[in-house]
Amino acid sequence: MLVLYNTSVATLAAAGGIGLIPEGAIVIDGSAIAWVGAYRDLPEIYAGVEHQSLDGRLVTPALVDCHTHLVFAGSRAREFEMRLEGSSYEEIAERGGGIIATVSATRAASEESLLQLALMRIDALIAEGVGAVEIKSGYGLDSETELRILRVARKISAVRPVRVRTSFLGAHAVPTSMNADEYLDKVCLPTLQGAYREGLVDAVDGFCETIAFTTNQMERVFCSAAALGLPVKLHAEQLSNSGGTVLAAKHNALSADHLEYATDEDVKTLAQSDSVAILLPGAYYTLKQTQRPPVEAFRKHKVPMAVATDWNPGSSPLGSLLLAMNMASTLFGLTPEETLAGTTRNAAKALGYFDCGQIRPGARADLAVWDLEHPAELSYRIGQNALYARMFEGKYDNHDEP
Ligand code: NIG
Ligand code: FE
């Protein structure tokens, strides 16, 4: 057992707000949190337990990156140049670039090389205090490669101190060799079955957009997910209003993601489900979008907001969740409290985790200790990583003491 004291603790434990305890203490018992509160209220039974001073530093739950595509090969730097020369993301996709370009590179990569590439990215997130990550497939679009991506994603948590939730994103793009319905029938849905049988799938995702799949097509994918008892989530209203938010709400999706083009009515419908709105400022920034997600409507209708990197080689080559937090505040107008809730409590909810993203008795002792005094510093700083130590399941990374 260990008592952390001389710290301010952002517990994120109650809905709304960050639950800041200025002179706080946390009792760690094995891999879990036993108690949290003001140090002056520390129960007598913990008085004799080993104490560790954090010298006034801030503690938050370990961060959660709830939307990434970080298992991929290849680079799309040339497309970045093309966009600077005036081409749009959709035009590049229609010319066989975009997702399809990454599909070719990923199909050609071995499981081992994909793992090595993914681990470099995971290590960058861990170094920022991330303790749980969602990883999607979707750069295979054939059975063999989709399964390879998911196996790599599963392997990560065996070799790194991080939790991984996998999402099957077979409905990410239509391969050039067939039309969307053929692809769903012949490849995507049978692959989902196979991946499920191998225990590789925690949730099912899709890209509902004019350049990808229609709501009717996504509905078929979601029905297959439901038949397997898998929760769903959706890339919705990223580039246009395509009806994805209402579909996500109807299927009580874990999350609806992007949402730049969601209307007030869409948000109202989403509020009737248990879904989280995942905001992805890295993609908005990279694609130089101007339509911001309807943050005021999320607040008004009480839809919880999460923030993630969307780490992928095309629309969001963003390897920093801290930078995503800054962008969510500066570009979307989230308060620093909202961005912190968005990368802890709400991000955990978006992954169906109920034992992390908050500091409360019974939750996992997955913590981030920051060389900061106030949580607003996390969103305010740009390109600075103030992580002092990270604790995963009650153990500090690499050493026993921070
Ligand atoms: O979340 N929207 C679809 N998927 C990714 C983009 C993937 C890519 O361009 O490679 C996204 O933005
Ligand atoms: Fe995405």
Side-chain angles (χ1 to χ4, degrees), residues 202-247:
D202 297 323
V204 175
D205 197 351
F207 187 19
C208 188
E209 190 55 63
T210 46
I211 57 167
F213 296 88
T214 64
T215 48
N216 283 344
Q217 287 161 343
M218 275 321 306
E219 177 111 57
R220 291 180 53 211
V221 177
F222 282 3
C223 288
S224 297
L228 298 172
L230 291 169
V232 299
K233 47 185 41 244
L234 191 63
H235 288 71
E237 335 301 357
Q238 179 187 8
L239 307 170
S240 64
N241 189 288
S242 305
T245 313
V246 172
L247 180 71

Side-chain angles (χ1 to χ4, degrees), residues 15-318:
I18 57 168
L20 191 65
I21 307 172
E23 304 274 322
I26 305 170
V27 181
I28 315 285
D29 187 4
S31 62
I33 294 160
W35 186 88
V36 60
Y39 185 58
R40 63 170 184 280
D41 297 332
L42 186 73
E44 192 54 37
I45 46 162
Y46 302 124
V49 168
E50 182 191 345
H51 276 46
Q52 183 177 72
S53 168
L54 293 178
D55 299 328
R57 294 187 177 86
L58 169 73
V59 177
T60 67
L63 304 182
V64 178
D65 194 352
C66 62
H67 179 139
T68 86
H69 308 241
L70 63 71
V71 178
F72 64 86
S75 158
R76 305 242 294 274
R78 178 59 202 133
E79 292 179 15
F80 174 66
E81 293 175 324
M82 285 163 75
R83 284 199 304 276
L84 289 171
E85 288 155 12
S87 303
S88 74
Y89 182 73
E90 289 97 320
E91 281 161 6
I92 293 168
E94 274 153 16
R95 277 187 252 140
I99 293 169
I100 293 299
T102 301
V103 167
S104 308
T106 305
R107 283 181 181 173
S110 68
E111 189 165 324
E112 185 50 34
S113 70
L114 279 178
L115 178 65
Q116 291 314 318
L117 289 166
L119 287 177
M120 283 195 308
R121 297 168 192 142
I122 283 288
D123 288 342
L125 294 175
I126 287 175
E128 288 192 337
V130 170
V133 180
E134 185 258 10
I135 301 177
K136 303 171 194 301
S137 69
Y139 288 126
L141 309 184
D142 64 22
S143 239
E144 195 191 317
T145 318
E146 286 293 308
L147 291 177
R148 195 185 318 142
I149 293 169
L150 292 169
R151 285 188 200 115
V152 167
R154 274 279 185 263
K155 215 173 250 181
I156 287 170
S157 54
V159 295
R160 287 293 189 276
V162 70
R163 293 172 101 183
V164 173
R165 278 280 208 239
T166 58
S167 298
F168 175 76
L169 179 56
H172 194 197
V174 184
T176 30
S177 53
M178 53 189 100
N179 70 39
D181 288 305
E182 259 178 313
Y183 169 68
L184 289 182
D185 290 331
K186 294 194 181 137
V187 183
C188 181
L189 297 179
T191 302
L192 170 59
Q193 304 284 335
Y196 172 78
R197 277 196 300 274
E198 245 191 79
L200 296 174
V201 188
D202 297 323
V204 175
D205 197 351
F207 187 19
C208 188
E209 190 55 63
T210 46
I211 57 167
F213 296 88
T214 64
T215 48
N216 283 344
Q217 287 161 343
M218 275 321 306
E219 177 111 57
R220 291 180 53 211
V221 177
F222 282 3
C223 288
S224 297
L228 298 172
L230 291 169
V232 299
K233 47 185 41 244
L234 191 63
H235 288 71
E237 335 301 357
Q238 179 187 8
L239 307 170
S240 64
N241 189 288
S242 305
T245 313
V246 172
L247 180 71
K250 177 177 163 194
H251 288 264
N252 200 25
L254 284 170
S255 65
D257 304 42
H258 289 285
L259 300 173
E260 277 82 352
Y261 287 85
T263 62
D264 194 77
E265 271 308 300
D266 290 332
V267 178
K268 218 163 141 185
T269 309
L270 195 63
Q272 283 152 30
S273 73
D274 212 23
S275 305
V276 174
I278 300 183
L279 308 185
L280 303 164
Y284 172 93
Y285 167 85
T286 302
L287 302 182
K288 293 197 198 142
Q289 288 183 261
T290 50
Q291 172 125 350
R292 301 200 282 174
V295 167
E296 214 30 76
F298 298 135
R299 288 181 185 134
K300 182 170 84 186
H301 299 296
K302 301 203 172 11
V303 174
M305 292 181 277
V307 174
T309 59
D310 194 11
W311 195 338
N312 75 65
S315 65
S316 188
L318 171 60

